[in-house]
Short mmCIF file of all heavy atoms in Angstrom, two decimals:
data_model
loop_
_atom_site.label_atom_id
_atom_site.label_comp_id
_atom_site.label_asym_id
_atom_site.label_seq_id
_atom_site.Cartn_x
_atom_site.Cartn_y
_atom_site.Cartn_z
N MET A 22 47.59 5.88 -103.68
CA MET A 22 48.13 4.66 -104.29
C MET A 22 48.56 3.78 -103.12
O MET A 22 49.35 4.13 -102.27
CB MET A 22 49.33 5.11 -105.20
CG MET A 22 50.03 3.92 -105.66
SD MET A 22 51.76 4.39 -106.00
CE MET A 22 52.57 2.87 -105.71
N ARG A 23 48.06 2.63 -103.17
CA ARG A 23 48.54 1.58 -102.12
C ARG A 23 48.68 0.28 -102.98
O ARG A 23 47.69 -0.22 -103.46
CB ARG A 23 47.56 1.43 -101.07
CG ARG A 23 47.99 0.56 -99.85
CD ARG A 23 47.01 0.63 -98.81
NE ARG A 23 47.54 0.03 -97.67
CZ ARG A 23 46.87 -0.28 -96.61
NH1 ARG A 23 45.61 -0.04 -96.46
NH2 ARG A 23 47.44 -0.92 -95.55
N SER A 24 49.91 -0.21 -103.12
CA SER A 24 50.21 -1.34 -103.95
C SER A 24 51.16 -2.29 -103.34
O SER A 24 52.03 -1.86 -102.49
CB SER A 24 50.72 -0.85 -105.29
OG SER A 24 49.90 -0.06 -105.97
N ALA A 25 51.04 -3.59 -103.62
CA ALA A 25 52.03 -4.58 -103.21
C ALA A 25 53.04 -4.70 -104.26
O ALA A 25 52.82 -4.61 -105.44
CB ALA A 25 51.34 -5.93 -102.93
N TYR A 26 54.34 -4.89 -103.78
CA TYR A 26 55.55 -5.06 -104.67
C TYR A 26 56.22 -6.25 -104.26
O TYR A 26 56.40 -6.63 -103.10
CB TYR A 26 56.43 -3.82 -104.59
CG TYR A 26 56.00 -2.76 -105.49
CD1 TYR A 26 54.95 -1.85 -105.13
CD2 TYR A 26 56.68 -2.47 -106.65
CE1 TYR A 26 54.60 -0.82 -105.92
CE2 TYR A 26 56.32 -1.48 -107.54
CZ TYR A 26 55.30 -0.65 -107.13
OH TYR A 26 54.86 0.39 -107.93
N ILE A 27 56.69 -7.00 -105.26
CA ILE A 27 57.61 -8.12 -105.06
C ILE A 27 59.06 -7.57 -105.17
O ILE A 27 59.35 -6.91 -106.18
CB ILE A 27 57.31 -9.20 -106.12
CG1 ILE A 27 55.96 -9.80 -105.97
CG2 ILE A 27 58.39 -10.33 -106.00
CD1 ILE A 27 55.46 -10.72 -106.98
N VAL A 28 59.88 -7.89 -104.17
CA VAL A 28 61.18 -7.25 -104.13
C VAL A 28 62.23 -8.44 -104.27
O VAL A 28 62.14 -9.39 -103.54
CB VAL A 28 61.42 -6.57 -102.76
CG1 VAL A 28 62.77 -5.96 -102.71
CG2 VAL A 28 60.26 -5.59 -102.49
N GLY A 29 63.10 -8.29 -105.19
CA GLY A 29 64.22 -9.12 -105.37
C GLY A 29 65.33 -8.79 -104.44
O GLY A 29 65.56 -7.57 -104.31
N LEU A 30 65.94 -9.70 -103.78
CA LEU A 30 66.98 -9.39 -102.71
C LEU A 30 68.29 -10.05 -102.96
O LEU A 30 68.31 -11.13 -103.35
CB LEU A 30 66.39 -9.79 -101.36
CG LEU A 30 65.09 -9.12 -100.83
CD1 LEU A 30 64.62 -9.83 -99.63
CD2 LEU A 30 65.28 -7.59 -100.67
N SER A 31 69.33 -9.36 -102.46
CA SER A 31 70.64 -9.90 -102.53
C SER A 31 71.03 -10.12 -101.07
O SER A 31 72.31 -10.49 -100.82
CB SER A 31 71.69 -9.04 -103.26
OG SER A 31 71.78 -7.78 -102.64
N VAL A 32 70.25 -9.85 -100.12
CA VAL A 32 70.54 -10.06 -98.72
C VAL A 32 69.37 -10.98 -98.14
O VAL A 32 68.29 -11.13 -98.72
CB VAL A 32 70.50 -8.74 -97.89
CG1 VAL A 32 71.66 -7.84 -98.41
CG2 VAL A 32 69.12 -8.05 -98.00
N PRO A 33 69.63 -11.63 -97.01
CA PRO A 33 68.56 -12.43 -96.44
C PRO A 33 67.37 -11.55 -96.10
O PRO A 33 67.41 -10.40 -95.72
CB PRO A 33 69.17 -12.91 -95.13
CG PRO A 33 70.66 -12.84 -95.36
CD PRO A 33 70.95 -11.67 -96.24
N ALA A 34 66.13 -12.17 -96.23
CA ALA A 34 64.93 -11.49 -96.02
C ALA A 34 64.91 -10.89 -94.55
O ALA A 34 64.29 -9.81 -94.46
CB ALA A 34 63.76 -12.35 -96.21
N GLU A 35 65.40 -11.60 -93.61
CA GLU A 35 65.48 -11.11 -92.20
C GLU A 35 66.21 -9.78 -92.15
O GLU A 35 65.74 -8.84 -91.42
CB GLU A 35 66.06 -12.14 -91.33
CG GLU A 35 66.09 -11.80 -89.89
CD GLU A 35 66.67 -12.98 -89.02
OE1 GLU A 35 66.12 -14.09 -89.09
OE2 GLU A 35 67.72 -12.67 -88.39
N ASP A 36 67.36 -9.67 -92.91
CA ASP A 36 68.13 -8.42 -92.90
C ASP A 36 67.27 -7.34 -93.65
O ASP A 36 67.28 -6.19 -93.07
CB ASP A 36 69.48 -8.56 -93.61
CG ASP A 36 70.35 -9.49 -92.78
OD1 ASP A 36 70.11 -9.88 -91.64
OD2 ASP A 36 71.36 -9.99 -93.35
N PHE A 37 66.63 -7.65 -94.67
CA PHE A 37 65.89 -6.70 -95.44
C PHE A 37 64.72 -6.12 -94.56
O PHE A 37 64.41 -4.95 -94.58
CB PHE A 37 65.34 -7.34 -96.73
CG PHE A 37 64.34 -6.45 -97.42
CD1 PHE A 37 64.77 -5.36 -98.11
CD2 PHE A 37 63.00 -6.81 -97.43
CE1 PHE A 37 63.77 -4.59 -98.80
CE2 PHE A 37 62.10 -6.03 -98.10
CZ PHE A 37 62.43 -4.82 -98.76
N ARG A 38 64.18 -7.03 -93.82
CA ARG A 38 62.98 -6.61 -93.02
C ARG A 38 63.47 -5.58 -91.98
O ARG A 38 62.74 -4.58 -91.76
CB ARG A 38 62.49 -7.83 -92.24
CG ARG A 38 61.20 -7.56 -91.46
CD ARG A 38 60.66 -8.76 -90.80
NE ARG A 38 59.30 -8.46 -90.30
CZ ARG A 38 58.44 -9.35 -89.99
NH1 ARG A 38 58.69 -10.68 -90.13
NH2 ARG A 38 57.27 -9.00 -89.53
N SER A 39 64.66 -5.70 -91.48
CA SER A 39 65.15 -4.67 -90.50
C SER A 39 65.42 -3.44 -91.26
O SER A 39 65.15 -2.27 -90.71
CB SER A 39 66.44 -5.20 -89.89
OG SER A 39 66.25 -6.30 -89.12
N LEU A 40 66.06 -3.48 -92.41
CA LEU A 40 66.44 -2.30 -93.25
C LEU A 40 65.18 -1.46 -93.72
O LEU A 40 65.14 -0.22 -93.57
CB LEU A 40 67.23 -2.66 -94.38
CG LEU A 40 68.52 -3.18 -94.20
CD1 LEU A 40 69.15 -3.82 -95.43
CD2 LEU A 40 69.44 -2.10 -93.67
N VAL A 41 64.15 -2.22 -94.07
CA VAL A 41 62.86 -1.54 -94.57
C VAL A 41 61.99 -0.97 -93.50
O VAL A 41 61.15 -0.16 -93.72
CB VAL A 41 62.16 -2.53 -95.48
CG1 VAL A 41 61.26 -3.50 -94.72
CG2 VAL A 41 61.36 -1.75 -96.48
N ALA A 42 62.27 -1.41 -92.17
CA ALA A 42 61.44 -0.94 -91.08
C ALA A 42 61.47 0.59 -90.98
O ALA A 42 60.59 1.16 -90.50
CB ALA A 42 61.91 -1.64 -89.81
N GLY A 43 62.65 1.17 -91.40
CA GLY A 43 62.72 2.63 -91.22
C GLY A 43 62.31 3.38 -92.42
O GLY A 43 62.40 4.66 -92.46
N VAL A 44 61.77 2.80 -93.39
CA VAL A 44 61.40 3.50 -94.63
C VAL A 44 59.89 3.90 -94.56
O VAL A 44 59.04 3.07 -94.52
CB VAL A 44 61.63 2.55 -95.93
CG1 VAL A 44 61.19 3.38 -97.21
CG2 VAL A 44 63.11 2.21 -95.99
N GLU A 45 59.66 5.20 -94.53
CA GLU A 45 58.30 5.58 -94.47
C GLU A 45 57.39 5.24 -95.66
O GLU A 45 57.82 5.37 -96.78
CB GLU A 45 58.31 7.22 -94.33
CG GLU A 45 56.96 7.78 -94.10
CD GLU A 45 56.98 9.32 -93.95
OE1 GLU A 45 58.03 9.83 -93.49
OE2 GLU A 45 55.98 9.95 -94.15
N GLY A 46 56.28 4.71 -95.31
CA GLY A 46 55.30 4.37 -96.37
C GLY A 46 55.51 2.86 -97.01
O GLY A 46 54.89 2.56 -97.97
N VAL A 47 56.40 2.21 -96.27
CA VAL A 47 56.64 0.80 -96.76
C VAL A 47 56.38 -0.19 -95.62
O VAL A 47 57.00 0.11 -94.48
CB VAL A 47 58.09 0.61 -97.27
CG1 VAL A 47 58.40 -0.78 -97.71
CG2 VAL A 47 58.42 1.65 -98.46
N SER A 48 55.61 -1.19 -95.83
CA SER A 48 55.33 -2.15 -94.81
C SER A 48 55.69 -3.58 -95.34
O SER A 48 55.28 -3.91 -96.39
CB SER A 48 53.89 -2.24 -94.42
OG SER A 48 53.44 -0.99 -94.02
N TYR A 49 56.51 -4.29 -94.56
CA TYR A 49 56.97 -5.67 -94.98
C TYR A 49 55.75 -6.54 -94.75
O TYR A 49 55.11 -6.64 -93.68
CB TYR A 49 58.13 -6.04 -93.98
CG TYR A 49 58.65 -7.44 -94.29
CD1 TYR A 49 59.74 -7.56 -95.13
CD2 TYR A 49 58.18 -8.59 -93.74
CE1 TYR A 49 60.30 -8.76 -95.39
CE2 TYR A 49 58.61 -9.82 -94.04
CZ TYR A 49 59.80 -9.83 -94.86
OH TYR A 49 60.32 -11.10 -95.12
N LEU A 50 55.47 -7.41 -95.73
CA LEU A 50 54.32 -8.33 -95.67
C LEU A 50 54.77 -9.79 -95.38
O LEU A 50 54.39 -10.33 -94.45
CB LEU A 50 53.43 -8.26 -96.84
CG LEU A 50 52.65 -6.95 -97.05
CD1 LEU A 50 51.87 -7.04 -98.37
CD2 LEU A 50 51.80 -6.65 -96.03
N ARG A 51 55.68 -10.23 -96.28
CA ARG A 51 56.13 -11.58 -96.07
C ARG A 51 57.38 -11.92 -96.95
O ARG A 51 57.61 -11.28 -97.93
CB ARG A 51 54.97 -12.57 -96.37
CG ARG A 51 54.54 -12.60 -97.81
CD ARG A 51 53.35 -13.51 -98.01
NE ARG A 51 52.80 -13.33 -99.39
CZ ARG A 51 53.00 -14.08 -100.40
NH1 ARG A 51 53.88 -15.17 -100.36
NH2 ARG A 51 52.46 -13.82 -101.51
N GLU A 52 58.06 -13.01 -96.51
CA GLU A 52 59.18 -13.49 -97.26
C GLU A 52 58.64 -14.46 -98.34
O GLU A 52 57.67 -15.14 -98.15
CB GLU A 52 60.12 -14.27 -96.31
CG GLU A 52 61.34 -14.85 -96.93
CD GLU A 52 62.21 -15.51 -96.01
OE1 GLU A 52 62.00 -15.39 -94.81
OE2 GLU A 52 63.16 -16.22 -96.50
N LEU A 53 59.36 -14.47 -99.51
CA LEU A 53 58.99 -15.48 -100.52
C LEU A 53 59.99 -16.62 -100.56
O LEU A 53 61.17 -16.45 -100.23
CB LEU A 53 59.03 -14.74 -101.89
CG LEU A 53 58.00 -13.66 -102.10
CD1 LEU A 53 58.24 -12.86 -103.37
CD2 LEU A 53 56.54 -14.21 -102.09
N PRO A 54 59.51 -17.77 -101.05
CA PRO A 54 60.54 -18.94 -101.07
C PRO A 54 61.65 -18.74 -101.95
O PRO A 54 62.69 -19.26 -101.87
CB PRO A 54 59.66 -20.07 -101.51
CG PRO A 54 58.17 -19.65 -101.42
CD PRO A 54 58.14 -18.16 -101.41
N SER A 55 61.56 -17.84 -102.98
CA SER A 55 62.58 -17.57 -103.92
C SER A 55 63.66 -16.71 -103.33
O SER A 55 64.58 -16.37 -104.04
CB SER A 55 61.96 -16.89 -105.16
OG SER A 55 61.43 -15.73 -104.78
N GLY A 56 63.59 -16.27 -102.08
CA GLY A 56 64.58 -15.40 -101.50
C GLY A 56 64.24 -13.91 -101.59
O GLY A 56 65.00 -13.08 -101.18
N GLY A 57 62.99 -13.62 -102.06
CA GLY A 57 62.57 -12.30 -102.12
C GLY A 57 61.53 -11.93 -101.01
O GLY A 57 61.49 -12.69 -100.03
N ALA A 58 60.88 -10.83 -101.26
CA ALA A 58 59.84 -10.44 -100.21
C ALA A 58 58.67 -9.70 -100.93
O ALA A 58 58.84 -9.24 -101.98
CB ALA A 58 60.47 -9.54 -99.14
N VAL A 59 57.65 -9.63 -100.16
CA VAL A 59 56.42 -8.79 -100.56
C VAL A 59 56.32 -7.69 -99.57
O VAL A 59 56.28 -7.86 -98.41
CB VAL A 59 55.18 -9.64 -100.70
CG1 VAL A 59 53.99 -8.85 -101.14
CG2 VAL A 59 55.37 -10.88 -101.59
N VAL A 60 56.19 -6.44 -100.16
CA VAL A 60 55.99 -5.28 -99.28
C VAL A 60 54.69 -4.52 -99.79
O VAL A 60 54.26 -4.65 -100.93
CB VAL A 60 57.21 -4.34 -99.37
CG1 VAL A 60 58.43 -4.99 -98.69
CG2 VAL A 60 57.45 -3.82 -100.74
N LEU A 61 54.16 -3.68 -98.94
CA LEU A 61 53.11 -2.80 -99.26
C LEU A 61 53.57 -1.48 -99.31
O LEU A 61 54.30 -1.02 -98.27
CB LEU A 61 51.92 -2.93 -98.25
CG LEU A 61 50.64 -2.17 -98.56
CD1 LEU A 61 50.02 -2.75 -99.85
CD2 LEU A 61 49.70 -2.36 -97.39
N VAL A 62 53.40 -0.67 -100.39
CA VAL A 62 53.90 0.72 -100.44
C VAL A 62 52.74 1.64 -100.58
O VAL A 62 51.67 1.31 -101.19
CB VAL A 62 54.87 0.93 -101.61
CG1 VAL A 62 56.10 0.12 -101.41
CG2 VAL A 62 54.25 0.55 -102.94
N GLU A 63 52.84 2.82 -99.93
CA GLU A 63 51.79 3.77 -99.91
C GLU A 63 51.76 4.86 -101.06
O GLU A 63 50.88 5.57 -101.23
CB GLU A 63 51.83 4.52 -98.47
CG GLU A 63 51.63 3.48 -97.31
CD GLU A 63 50.26 2.90 -97.24
OE1 GLU A 63 49.36 3.52 -97.73
OE2 GLU A 63 50.12 1.78 -96.72
N SER A 64 53.01 5.03 -101.66
CA SER A 64 53.11 6.15 -102.66
C SER A 64 54.28 5.81 -103.55
O SER A 64 55.11 5.01 -103.35
CB SER A 64 53.39 7.44 -101.91
OG SER A 64 54.59 7.42 -101.25
N GLU A 65 54.30 6.62 -104.61
CA GLU A 65 55.42 6.57 -105.60
C GLU A 65 56.72 6.97 -104.88
O GLU A 65 57.83 6.48 -105.10
CB GLU A 65 55.21 7.52 -106.79
CG GLU A 65 54.31 6.96 -107.77
CD GLU A 65 54.85 5.69 -108.48
OE1 GLU A 65 56.01 5.60 -108.65
OE2 GLU A 65 54.04 4.72 -108.71
N ARG A 66 56.68 7.90 -104.02
CA ARG A 66 57.87 8.34 -103.18
C ARG A 66 58.42 7.17 -102.40
O ARG A 66 59.52 6.91 -102.32
CB ARG A 66 57.48 9.51 -102.25
CG ARG A 66 58.67 10.04 -101.58
CD ARG A 66 58.28 11.19 -100.64
NE ARG A 66 59.42 11.77 -99.99
CZ ARG A 66 59.42 12.84 -99.27
NH1 ARG A 66 58.30 13.48 -99.15
NH2 ARG A 66 60.53 13.25 -98.67
N ALA A 67 57.45 6.38 -101.86
CA ALA A 67 57.90 5.15 -101.04
C ALA A 67 58.56 4.16 -101.91
O ALA A 67 59.52 3.56 -101.51
CB ALA A 67 56.70 4.53 -100.33
N VAL A 68 58.08 4.06 -103.16
CA VAL A 68 58.70 3.10 -104.17
C VAL A 68 60.11 3.52 -104.39
O VAL A 68 61.13 2.67 -104.39
CB VAL A 68 57.87 2.91 -105.41
CG1 VAL A 68 58.59 2.20 -106.42
CG2 VAL A 68 56.54 2.38 -105.14
N ARG A 69 60.34 4.75 -104.63
CA ARG A 69 61.63 5.34 -104.86
C ARG A 69 62.56 5.05 -103.70
O ARG A 69 63.75 4.69 -103.87
CB ARG A 69 61.63 6.88 -105.26
CG ARG A 69 61.08 7.00 -106.59
CD ARG A 69 61.23 8.48 -107.15
NE ARG A 69 60.51 9.39 -106.22
CZ ARG A 69 59.23 9.78 -106.34
NH1 ARG A 69 58.48 9.31 -107.31
NH2 ARG A 69 58.83 10.71 -105.53
N SER A 70 62.06 5.29 -102.48
CA SER A 70 62.85 5.03 -101.27
C SER A 70 63.22 3.60 -101.13
O SER A 70 64.32 3.22 -100.79
CB SER A 70 62.09 5.56 -100.00
OG SER A 70 61.98 6.87 -100.10
N LEU A 71 62.26 2.72 -101.38
CA LEU A 71 62.44 1.30 -101.37
C LEU A 71 63.56 0.88 -102.35
O LEU A 71 64.37 0.06 -102.00
CB LEU A 71 61.12 0.58 -101.64
CG LEU A 71 61.16 -0.95 -101.62
CD1 LEU A 71 61.57 -1.52 -100.36
CD2 LEU A 71 59.83 -1.52 -102.09
N ALA A 72 63.55 1.42 -103.55
CA ALA A 72 64.56 1.04 -104.53
C ALA A 72 65.96 1.34 -104.01
O ALA A 72 66.89 0.70 -104.43
CB ALA A 72 64.31 1.75 -105.86
N GLY A 73 66.16 2.33 -103.10
CA GLY A 73 67.46 2.74 -102.59
C GLY A 73 67.88 1.92 -101.30
O GLY A 73 68.94 2.08 -100.85
N VAL A 74 67.05 0.92 -100.90
CA VAL A 74 67.43 0.21 -99.75
C VAL A 74 68.54 -0.80 -100.11
O VAL A 74 68.39 -1.48 -101.11
CB VAL A 74 66.18 -0.61 -99.12
CG1 VAL A 74 66.55 -1.57 -98.09
CG2 VAL A 74 65.18 0.43 -98.59
N PRO A 75 69.59 -0.93 -99.27
CA PRO A 75 70.65 -1.89 -99.57
C PRO A 75 70.07 -3.28 -99.77
O PRO A 75 69.23 -3.75 -98.93
CB PRO A 75 71.62 -1.71 -98.38
CG PRO A 75 71.31 -0.37 -97.86
CD PRO A 75 69.95 -0.19 -98.04
N GLY A 76 70.56 -3.98 -100.72
CA GLY A 76 70.10 -5.40 -100.98
C GLY A 76 68.89 -5.62 -101.92
O GLY A 76 68.64 -6.69 -102.27
N VAL A 77 68.28 -4.46 -102.25
CA VAL A 77 67.19 -4.54 -103.26
C VAL A 77 67.71 -4.68 -104.63
O VAL A 77 68.50 -3.79 -105.05
CB VAL A 77 66.26 -3.30 -103.15
CG1 VAL A 77 65.20 -3.39 -104.25
CG2 VAL A 77 65.53 -3.25 -101.82
N THR A 78 67.39 -5.71 -105.39
CA THR A 78 67.96 -5.98 -106.79
C THR A 78 66.89 -5.69 -107.75
O THR A 78 67.22 -5.45 -108.93
CB THR A 78 68.49 -7.36 -106.84
OG1 THR A 78 67.46 -8.28 -106.69
CG2 THR A 78 69.62 -7.58 -105.92
N SER A 79 65.58 -5.86 -107.35
CA SER A 79 64.49 -5.55 -108.36
C SER A 79 63.29 -5.30 -107.62
O SER A 79 63.10 -5.72 -106.46
CB SER A 79 64.30 -6.84 -109.28
OG SER A 79 63.88 -7.90 -108.51
N LEU A 80 62.38 -4.58 -108.34
CA LEU A 80 60.99 -4.27 -107.80
C LEU A 80 60.08 -4.55 -108.90
O LEU A 80 60.18 -4.20 -110.06
CB LEU A 80 60.95 -2.83 -107.47
CG LEU A 80 61.67 -2.31 -106.26
CD1 LEU A 80 61.59 -0.81 -106.13
CD2 LEU A 80 61.20 -2.92 -104.99
N ARG A 81 58.92 -5.23 -108.51
CA ARG A 81 57.84 -5.46 -109.53
C ARG A 81 56.54 -5.32 -108.86
O ARG A 81 56.29 -5.98 -107.72
CB ARG A 81 58.02 -6.90 -110.12
CG ARG A 81 56.93 -7.22 -111.14
CD ARG A 81 57.32 -8.52 -111.86
NE ARG A 81 57.37 -9.70 -111.00
CZ ARG A 81 56.38 -10.36 -110.60
NH1 ARG A 81 55.14 -10.27 -110.95
NH2 ARG A 81 56.62 -11.52 -109.82
N GLU A 82 55.68 -4.53 -109.40
CA GLU A 82 54.37 -4.42 -108.73
C GLU A 82 53.64 -5.79 -108.91
O GLU A 82 53.62 -6.43 -109.97
CB GLU A 82 53.46 -3.35 -109.45
CG GLU A 82 52.25 -3.02 -108.68
CD GLU A 82 51.56 -1.79 -109.19
OE1 GLU A 82 52.02 -1.11 -110.19
OE2 GLU A 82 50.45 -1.38 -108.64
N ASP A 83 52.97 -6.16 -107.89
CA ASP A 83 52.29 -7.46 -107.71
C ASP A 83 50.91 -7.24 -108.17
O ASP A 83 50.05 -6.88 -107.39
CB ASP A 83 52.36 -8.04 -106.37
CG ASP A 83 51.84 -9.44 -106.34
OD1 ASP A 83 51.70 -10.06 -107.32
OD2 ASP A 83 51.51 -9.88 -105.16
N ARG A 84 50.57 -7.58 -109.53
CA ARG A 84 49.26 -7.36 -110.05
C ARG A 84 48.64 -8.69 -110.29
O ARG A 84 49.36 -9.52 -110.96
CB ARG A 84 49.31 -6.44 -111.31
CG ARG A 84 49.74 -5.15 -111.16
CD ARG A 84 49.72 -4.37 -112.36
NE ARG A 84 50.09 -2.94 -112.13
CZ ARG A 84 49.81 -1.95 -112.87
NH1 ARG A 84 49.06 -2.17 -113.91
NH2 ARG A 84 50.21 -0.76 -112.56
N PRO A 85 47.46 -8.87 -109.98
CA PRO A 85 46.76 -10.19 -110.26
C PRO A 85 46.61 -10.38 -111.79
O PRO A 85 46.42 -9.34 -112.48
CB PRO A 85 45.30 -10.00 -109.69
CG PRO A 85 45.38 -8.73 -108.85
CD PRO A 85 46.52 -7.99 -109.24
N GLU A 86 46.86 -11.57 -112.15
CA GLU A 86 46.75 -11.85 -113.61
C GLU A 86 45.19 -11.99 -113.93
O GLU A 86 44.40 -12.50 -113.17
CB GLU A 86 47.30 -13.16 -113.87
CG GLU A 86 48.87 -13.12 -113.84
CD GLU A 86 49.47 -14.56 -114.28
OE1 GLU A 86 48.83 -15.27 -114.84
OE2 GLU A 86 50.60 -14.68 -113.87
N GLN A 87 44.87 -11.46 -115.11
CA GLN A 87 43.42 -11.64 -115.56
C GLN A 87 43.39 -12.78 -116.56
O GLN A 87 44.10 -12.76 -117.57
CB GLN A 87 43.02 -10.34 -116.22
CG GLN A 87 42.83 -9.22 -115.19
CD GLN A 87 42.26 -7.93 -115.89
OE1 GLN A 87 41.81 -7.99 -117.02
NE2 GLN A 87 42.15 -6.90 -115.09
N ARG A 88 42.51 -13.69 -116.34
CA ARG A 88 42.41 -14.90 -117.10
C ARG A 88 41.09 -14.76 -117.95
O ARG A 88 40.10 -14.33 -117.42
CB ARG A 88 42.37 -16.18 -116.39
CG ARG A 88 43.72 -16.33 -115.65
CD ARG A 88 43.66 -17.63 -114.86
NE ARG A 88 44.91 -17.67 -114.08
CZ ARG A 88 45.59 -18.76 -113.86
NH1 ARG A 88 45.16 -19.88 -114.40
NH2 ARG A 88 46.67 -18.76 -113.14
N MET A 89 41.18 -15.19 -119.16
CA MET A 89 39.97 -15.08 -120.03
C MET A 89 39.52 -16.43 -120.43
O MET A 89 40.18 -17.31 -120.54
CB MET A 89 40.28 -14.20 -121.27
CG MET A 89 40.67 -12.77 -120.91
SD MET A 89 40.79 -11.92 -122.37
CE MET A 89 40.11 -10.35 -121.84
#
């Protein structure tokens, strides 16, 4: 499983980037204008670890919308 997640933050993205650097299976991709960030996670275990990082307020898998 390799998925991108949108992370809601209560800390500056720069601080979050430092905090998440030590979480195995999580790679910081970019900051969002809304004050969040996008990360790449390698496993369900990494998602659970990410949820425990200080400053994380929400996690949502970034799935492309399908238009009909």
Side-chain angles (χ1 to χ4, degrees):
M22 170 205 152
R23 192 172 187 191
S24 300
Y26 275 78
I27 296 172
V28 183
L30 299 173
S31 65
V32 298
E35 184 177 299
D36 294 347
F37 171 72
R38 186 176 191 163
S39 296
L40 292 168
V41 80
V44 179
E45 186 177 334
V47 178
S48 301
Y49 183 93
L50 295 178
R51 65 186 169 97
E52 181 178 351
L53 296 173
S55 61
V59 179
V60 298
L61 186 64
V62 296
E63 301 290 334
S64 66
E65 281 297 321
R66 183 178 184 176
V68 174
R69 290 189 299 273
S70 295
L71 178 61
V74 171
V77 172
T78 59
S79 65
L80 291 174
R81 179 173 58 90
E82 189 171 2
D83 188 17
R84 294 183 178 203
E86 291 183 19
Q87 293 184 3
R88 296 181 186 219
M89 300 186 139

